[in-house]
Amino acid sequence: MLNHQATLTALVDTLLRDRCLTAGEDPAVWTEAITPFVTQQRAKMPPLTGAAVRLLTLLLDAWPIARGTRPFHRLAPAERQAVTAAWRASRLGPCRDLLRLHDSLVIFAWYTRREEPFMPNQSTM
Amino acid sequence: MATSPCHAHTPDDLAPAGVSICQAGGGSLRSDILVVGSGPGGAITATLLAEAGREVILLEEGGWVSQEQCLPFSRDEMIRTYRHGGITAAMGRPALAYVEACCVGGGSEINAGLYHRTPPDILAAWRRDWGVEALTPEDLEPHFVAGERELGVIHHPGDPAPSSHKLRIGAERLGWRAMEVPRWYSYQPLPVGANNPDGKRFSEQRNAMSRTFIPRFRQAGGQLIARLRVDRIRKRSGLWEVVAMPTCAATKAAPVVFLADTLFLAAGTIGTPTLLRRNLLSRRAGNTFASHPTIKITARFPEVVNPPGSGIGVHQVKGFSPRFGFGCAVSSPPYLAMGMIDHPRDLPLIAHESERMAIYYAMARGQGRVVAHRLLPQPIPFWRMTPVQWQDLTEALHKLAQLLFEAGADTLWPTIAGSEPLNSRADLARLPALLPAHLTRLMTIHLTGSCPMGSAAKGAVTDSFGRVHGQEGLYVCDASLLCDAPGVNPQGSLMALVRRNALRFLGQA
């Protein structure tokens, strides 16, 4: 079953592992911290653009099913990374744009964490 | 003037006395003048009219966020002040990402505050191509002077960021002229210490509308109501009827109806033509808009050029204007990371080398149109560049890369997907002879010209002083008025124009 919010969370987790986290940093903790920011910014998008991005996110979830596996949000991290790598290199502009949009949000949020902590005890994580 | 039905204050907005935050809506208000949008155009117009004794209501779609509440260029600022969370793009190949503000004070609350007067050759082109009257440098001189005084436009009192000097040094070595651009900022000296050994560093704060014209407007008796989005506009019994919906209502909100003798629109380069078209007030609005698409390069130098808190660079190269120009961009670690998205392998460098890295931009010109219709839930901007403009942008990128190597950079990362970093002058040959549209990342913060002023016969939306052609008592007073992208940061041009137009409306000019 496709699940938009679970896909968004899985995408944030994948991009954090791909682009941000270093050894010793817990993906689950940072995914939980950063996903609300991504969700909140996405919710502010204009209606048509927001609907298109939502549809693309569901398409990302469905993509692995078409290849005989499970939805994106239920894949293991390495399998998700393979899907995002394929979407980044896709000949279809909207697929690349979806990844770039989320890259921007996740990477921006990650690099603001020092000056604008997500959690009170962040420095100890 | 009746009392606002929207007088409650949301606790998170911390708005000062005199600023209403609309929560529930309902009711109606009557005033002489209604101004829609509190960015530089709307705030200056509303203030001058209120100070002349007119009864003025100023509406703003966004909330109140004072400069003290948000760190400049921070995540918090993006959340609280950017329209649509900062996720906006004009359709085209490539898409053009753009940023608009949605808060009291509009763009003045989020921009870098870099100030230019409109270049004389641009004014001449606008007079010639659009038939704009009273638009010589001499006509605008008193308005430029007043704006510079009222907003406190000054040069940096100490040493600008080292990354800024790098742009100057590179330009000088190539025989190009770099200029230090003044800003509408207040500077306070920082204590001498490890980060400021020679005492030449300053803290800085934008003299945004929320700190300058909005307080004057309130003091003059004007009424500012935030968090109201205008939906419908029509002329009824000789008055402008404006229907607005609260944007922060937790429950079902009722519309607020405003009646005014005169209506000024300052809803932005996308918002103003959208209101005019959706309400069938101008068929020409939005047929054009102009922009400064920018491509960026992140540069790394052998020495520190971007120490913490060094602020944005103030040098620009305008010798190639209006075809293209160069400047310094925000270079805090989050923005450096955004600039390196196309080079993920090198992203980790930011953790340790951000003080040696800075972002620069090359800016050209492009144009587009705004598609807006009552049946569409959002306006859709489309944009394009002519082949000549695309070639200009390509040349600009080459020249900027050349300049940065002259300034001593050891590595350059352009915002071209799939490109390799450049490590020496010899690598400049690897830059594409023509930028690949599908791989080039562009953005802009300068959108102008969707309701150009001038002669109706030349296709202008408003007359030379902002009145919408064919409409009595309806004016435009924001960057939509500019006839084209001015080739420099447009807020100085906008401020002078709206001041000129407001005084003309009052019969004082």
Side-chain angles (χ1 to χ4, degrees), chain B residues 459-471:
Chain B
V461 173
T462 80
D463 70 11
S464 295
F465 303 95
R467 186 179 65 80
V468 177
H469 285 300
Q471 303 289 348

Side-chain angles (χ1 to χ4, degrees), chain A residues 70-119:
Chain A
R70 293 164 292 173
F72 180 81
H73 75 270
R74 292 181 56 205
L75 294 177
E79 294 172 308
R80 282 192 260 121
Q81 280 173 312
V83 174
T84 54
W87 274 51
R88 278 186 217 288
S90 171
R91 286 194 300 177
L92 301 174
C95 296
R96 295 196 306 269
D97 291 345
L98 183 80
L99 265 292
R100 185 171 177 82
L101 166 67
H102 290 89
D103 268 340
S104 303
L105 290 169
V106 169
I107 289 171
F108 182 76
W110 173 256
Y111 281 93
T112 59
R113 73 194 187 286
R114 290 196 201 288
E115 289 192 325
E116 300 176 87
F118 285 93
M119 297 155 281

Side-chain angles (χ1 to χ4, degrees), chain B residues 275-297:
Chain B
L275 287 173
L276 289 171
R277 288 191 82 98
R278 283 184 173 168
N279 292 285
L280 307 177
L281 297 167
S282 169
R283 296 172 69 175
R284 289 174 174 169
N287 282 349
T288 63
F289 77 78
S291 70
H292 291 143
T294 62
I295 185 166
K296 291 180 178 170
I297 293 179

Side-chain angles (χ1 to χ4, degrees), chain B residues 363-431:
Chain B
M363 171 181 102
R365 298 209 289 180
Q367 53 281 316
R369 65 193 167 95
V370 181
V371 174
H373 191 277
R374 186 156 276 287
L375 298 176
L376 277 175
Q378 69 181 70
I380 305 176
F382 290 86
W383 90 289
R384 66 184 180 85
M385 293 174 80
T386 64
V388 171
Q389 289 169 332
W390 193 253
Q391 185 64 57
D392 285 346
L393 186 67
T394 306
E395 184 184 340
L397 182 74
H398 281 252
K399 282 194 156 52
L400 176 60
Q402 185 186 359
L403 179 156
L404 292 170
F405 278 130
E406 285 294 333
D410 60 37
T411 311
L412 306 181
W413 293 271
T415 53
I416 303 172
S419 67
E420 287 294 314
L422 310 174
N423 298 112
S424 68
R425 287 177 182 81
D427 286 350
L428 290 174
R430 287 201 282 109
L431 279 174

Side-chain angles (χ1 to χ4, degrees), chain B residues 180-336:
Chain B
E180 186 182 331
V181 182
R183 302 163 85 192
W184 51 88
Y185 263 62
S186 297
Y187 297 92
Q188 294 294 328
L190 287 169
V192 175
N195 277 334
N196 187 26
D198 49 8
K200 288 185 174 178
R201 293 187 60 194
F202 290 73
S203 69
E204 49 187 45
Q205 190 168 38
R206 294 181 188 108
N207 293 332
M209 291 297 123
S210 63
R211 298 184 69 221
T212 53
F213 279 86
I214 299 290
R216 276 176 56 182
F217 172 68
R218 296 194 335 258
Q219 195 161 10
Q223 186 178 2
L224 167 61
I225 308 176
R227 295 202 185 276
L228 270 180
R229 179 173 49 236
V230 170
D231 184 25
R232 292 197 308 275
I233 301 170
R234 66 172 172 168
K235 196 82 181 265
R236 190 174 163 195
S237 305
L239 296 175
W240 287 102
E241 182 189 80
V242 173
V243 179
M245 294 297 294
T247 59
C248 70
T251 56
K252 196 172 180 181
V256 186
V257 179
F258 296 88
L259 293 169
D261 300 296
T262 308
L263 175 59
F264 285 83
L265 297 180
T269 297
I270 306 297
T272 292
T274 300
L275 287 173
L276 289 171
R277 288 191 82 98
R278 283 184 173 168
N279 292 285
L280 307 177
L281 297 167
S282 169
R283 296 172 69 175
R284 289 174 174 169
N287 282 349
T288 63
F289 77 78
S291 70
H292 291 143
T294 62
I295 185 166
K296 291 180 178 170
I297 293 179
T298 302
R300 184 179 64 185
F301 294 87
E303 69 275 27
V304 169
V305 295
N306 184 27
S310 61
I312 195 166
V314 292
H315 285 92
Q316 293 181 345
V317 176
K318 291 293 178 195
F320 304 97
S321 185
R323 287 174 57 221
F324 55 80
F326 314 131
C328 309
V330 182
S331 297
S332 60
Y335 281 83
L336 284 170

